[in-house]
Amino acid sequence: MDQHRLHRAGVARLTEARQVLLGVVGRAPHARRLIEDLDRFGTDLDAALHRLPQPARGRHVSADQHFGPSRSIRHRSIMRVRFAPSPTGALHVGGARAALYNWLLARGPGEGGDGMPGTFVLRIEDTDRERSTEANVAQILDALRWLGLDWDEGPISQVANTPRHQQALAQLLADGHAYHSDATAQDVKAYKEQHGADRGFRGTPQSSGAVRLRVPGQGVTAFNDLIRGEVSFPNASMDDPVIARADGTVLYNFAVAVDDLDARITHVVRGEDHISNTPKQLLVFQALGQTPPQYAHLPLLHGPDGKKLSKRHGAASVQELRDAGYLPEAVDNYIALLGTGFAPDEEFFTLQEMAQRFRLERVSKSPAVFDEQKLRHLNGRHLRELSTEELTERLERYTGRTGLRAAVEISREKIQTLADFWPLAGFLIDGPVDDPRAFAKVIDADGGRDTLSAARDALASVQEFTVPAIEAALRTVVERTGLKPGQVFQPVRVAIAGTTISPGIFESVALLGRERTLALIDAALAK
RNA sequence: GCCCCCAUGGUCUAGUGGUUAGGACGCCUGCCUUUCACGCAGGAGAUCGCCGGUUCGAGCCCGGCUGGGGGUACCA
């Protein structure tokens, strides 16, 4: 269709196409060749257009092996996406975001807004049998559930698909798309020293050894990344990748392609660290004679040092975030924000709202730095959205304590994470904490004890021990002494909480009750 | 080294040819006030990485450069 349009446009457009080529692919060798072709064929549109690949996304071009979005895929069926973590460790926030984006895609209004629900497939990439563990699998599933990211199919174990992998491998071996080779890493290195660093390794077929995929000597392997646009790799610079070990077990780049094919995945959305794996997988699809899915590579998440986020940057796993008292709602909201905007002037969203608004093509191309401060802020907002019942439940689960409801009620406006609760309100349940500095500064200070005992007397004579009555009594002390409110309230606070941080003082006193409050004040005065 | 990707205040983003470059986090000031937090009202902070080009006009288009990142495994 695009070719026809070009046809109609005539020769004049050829010059423009040349310009586009120059702009888009720059000085890549294959672009040079294409441009030369265009120049050589001049007005021979048919010949030139034959070489001119399908424009994708309006004006991107590619050459040779092109795997762009084809209309047949786009409109053929519902979107099938997958998240495929390898169980070699806990679920990282980077992985969590990849899972989230896939989930948003599947739960969203559908590609092109056709309203069709998508399917979210969960696959466990466990072909690295050295490092994969069952415990990690369990932990990853647990983290996904906690985040509220439910899947429609799976978890599928990649190793369970071994027979199919073997069958596909045999096929490639039989039709010459792959060959055995016992070349070692040293052999590859030596090959490059001899042929040049930008020369991909090409082995010679042998009767046994690992299996390598044949990469074409010429041309490029390109694809239209849904986030980045055209991405292309010169075939000549790619090594023939090893797709199966000498013992016959398959490797990642081969297994992924076969599994994505079998699961009829339509969109592969994953981290940018996979971008250079894509041509290898594309070549597997091609060797198998199959149409590949569309790809979208997410920018990586960085730590404050600008490097790929990892354990050394602190709370980098979902479990750690949970332990730090963050809410799944906030974690989802925050990591979704790291990479795309949902609205020009608002950032607070629920999963459902994000699913409605999420657009793959709007995802940022540049890496984002994980900023815990902002997560805290968002967490506070989500926390305040919760009903007191719900928040109490979560807090009781988090602290392992019960009977927190009343304390939660008077603390909820003052905490940003679940972890903030106990340091603020724990004294209401377990009694005052020990903070000698606060005691010295507030009670041992000039007049501290006098004020405190005046406050004690006032509280002792309150008729009904309610918040308004308590407040009235203490304010009377303020008036009578001529002190500032804080000078009266702080000693009481330190007496009952042990420290200067607590929920509202009247509320705290009321919750503790007269007996306990007076006892605590007496104890403080006696200290 | 080689292949690939990226580039708007400290951080996350909006902005696709004409804007005083918008919002959020953080920071600062004031209000509220009982500590903390919330809320409200203000403020500081960006030569839109640099240099060219196209254009009457460029953060937006093109090229080069620089910088950053990813990959470079018989790991995933």
Side-chain angles (χ1 to χ4, degrees):
Chain A
M1 189 217 246
D2 289 307
Q3 292 196 359
H4 291 149
R5 212 187 305 149
L6 266 174
H7 253 298
R8 262 178 276 126
V11 179
R13 309 299 282 181
L14 202 52
T15 315
E16 199 179 312
R18 187 182 186 282
Q19 285 304 113
V20 169
L21 254 183
L22 259 172
V24 175
V25 226
R27 55 194 176 138
H30 65 281
R32 283 260 163 75
R33 278 206 341 277
L34 255 174
I35 291 165
E36 283 165 20
D37 279 354
L38 281 173
D39 289 341
R40 187 173 334 117
F41 285 109
T43 56
D44 186 349
L45 273 179
D46 270 301
L49 286 173
H50 186 67
R51 266 152 245 266
L52 229 208
Q54 302 272 5
R57 275 194 147 198
R59 57 183 150 60
H60 291 299
V61 296
S62 72
D64 308 68
Q65 270 79 51
H66 181 270
F67 300 92
S70 73
R71 287 171 194 289
S72 56
I73 291 187
R74 238 190 160 79
H75 298 298
R76 184 187 64 201
S77 58
I78 59 166
M79 178 177 257
R80 288 178 62 82
V81 295
R82 44 65 152 198
F83 176 56
S86 71
T88 52
L91 182 64
H92 266 238
V93 297
R97 189 188 55 171
L100 173 59
Y101 280 7
N102 276 105
W103 187 92
L104 292 175
L105 239 22
R107 300 290 179 264
E111 263 263 285
D114 57 9
M116 294 286 281
T119 303
F120 182 39
V121 180
L122 179 62
R123 183 173 71 225
I124 305 297
E125 312 246 298
D126 49 5
T127 47
D128 182 347
R129 289 146 315 158
E130 311 268 278
R131 299 187 298 155
S132 299
T133 71
E134 269 310 308
N136 285 334
V137 173
Q139 200 180 16
I140 289 170
L141 300 191
D142 183 47
L144 289 174
R145 282 192 207 97
W146 181 74
L147 289 169
L149 308 180
D150 55 326
W151 51 94
D152 306 306
E153 293 177 18
I156 300 165
S157 157
Q158 195 159 48
V159 283
N161 208 200
T162 299
R164 167 64 178 138
H165 296 153
Q166 291 306 321
Q167 180 255 313
L169 188 65
Q171 182 189 329
L172 296 194
L173 243 14
D175 58 25
H177 282 116
Y179 61 91
H180 285 287
S181 162
D182 61 8
T184 61
Q186 280 85 348
D187 296 332
V188 173
K189 206 176 153 198
Y191 183 95
K192 284 174 185 293
E193 268 161 24
Q194 196 186 131
H195 299 265
D198 60 347
R199 249 34 235 171
F201 173 76
R202 298 288 177 272
T204 45
Q206 289 163 316
S207 53
S208 66
V211 179
R212 286 184 187 265
L213 182 71
R214 265 187 217 288
V215 174
Q218 300 292 308
V220 301
T221 296
F223 62 99
N224 188 269
D225 191 286
L226 262 17
I227 292 171
R228 284 150 218 284
E230 188 75 13
V231 177
S232 78
F233 295 78
N235 290 146
S237 71
M238 292 170 56
D239 295 333
D240 281 356
V242 175
I243 56 176
R245 300 180 177 94
D247 67 4
T249 55
V250 298
L251 257 21
Y252 173 73
N253 281 122
F254 181 70
V256 187
V258 172
D259 290 345
D260 283 339
L261 174 64
D262 288 359
R264 305 186 324 281
I265 299 302
T266 60
H267 298 72
V268 171
V269 179
R270 66 217 318 188
E272 194 190 338
D273 48 347
H274 282 290
I275 206 159
S276 52
N277 285 327
T278 308
K280 298 173 192 169
Q281 294 166 207
L282 249 15
L283 256 12
V284 172
F285 275 95
Q286 187 187 238
L288 253 19
Q290 300 288 339
T291 309
Q294 295 185 65
Y295 292 88
H297 290 94
L298 270 21
L300 260 22
L301 255 27
H302 283 182
D305 61 354
K307 297 274 203 283
K308 187 172 158 180
L309 197 65
S310 69
K311 324 88 229 188
R312 40 181 243 293
H313 291 116
S317 76
V318 173
Q319 315 285 351
E320 288 169 317
L321 255 20
R322 187 219 297 228
D323 291 346
Y326 292 108
L327 264 26
E329 292 93 330
V331 173
D332 284 328
N333 192 165
Y334 179 64
I335 63 180
L337 245 28
L338 285 180
T340 191
F342 291 90
D345 56 1
E346 183 51 76
E347 301 193 320
F348 182 78
F349 296 108
T350 62
L351 271 180
Q352 285 64 35
E353 287 166 338
M354 291 192 286
Q356 278 311 308
R357 299 160 189 254
F358 185 70
R359 312 272 352 205
L360 202 46
E361 49 280 359
R362 286 191 53 84
V363 172
S364 158
K365 292 195 262 285
S366 50
V369 175
F370 186 86
D371 176 19
E372 199 169 338
Q373 300 242 60
K374 187 152 183 179
L375 207 210
R376 272 189 73 83
H377 167 80
L378 245 17
N379 201 258
R381 289 187 62 176
H382 277 101
L383 202 62
R384 268 166 251 119
E385 286 290 306
L386 264 28
S387 68
T388 299
E389 290 68 33
E390 176 64 24
L391 180 55
T392 301
E393 224 168 89
R394 297 203 199 194
L395 243 8
E396 291 184 344
R397 218 175 307 144
Y398 183 77
T399 58
R401 304 290 296 258
T402 54
L404 265 32
R405 160 88 205 217
V408 170
E409 197 147 44
I410 66 173
S411 307
R412 54 170 301 150
E413 293 300 315
K414 299 171 184 295
I415 60 175
Q416 278 186 298
T417 69
L418 299 181
D420 293 344
F421 174 77
W422 200 257
L424 178 75
F427 75 93
L428 294 168
I429 292 98
D430 284 356
V433 298
D434 188 32
D435 183 352
R437 286 186 54 191
F439 191 89
K441 194 175 147 205
V442 177
I443 295 180
D444 272 344
D446 275 353
R449 282 167 198 280
D450 294 340
T451 316
L452 186 53
S453 72
R456 186 211 186 279
D457 296 341
L459 289 173
S461 57
V462 165
Q463 296 281 317
E464 232 181 303
F465 214 66
T466 62
V467 173
I470 291 163
E471 174 164 7
L474 288 178
R475 288 202 187 279
T476 303
V477 176
V478 171
E479 275 167 41
R480 220 171 33 226
T481 57
L483 293 167
K484 281 192 255 178
Q487 288 177 290
V488 175
F489 303 150
Q490 280 301 76
V492 177
R493 190 188 306 280
V494 173
I496 64 170
T499 183
T500 55
I501 311 244
S502 83
I505 188 66
F506 315 126
E507 289 80 2
S508 298
V509 167
L511 198 161
L512 249 19
R514 193 196 311 264
E515 303 298 303
R516 258 184 104 192
T517 300
L518 296 183
L520 287 169
I521 292 178
D522 289 339
L525 285 170
K527 244 166 115 180

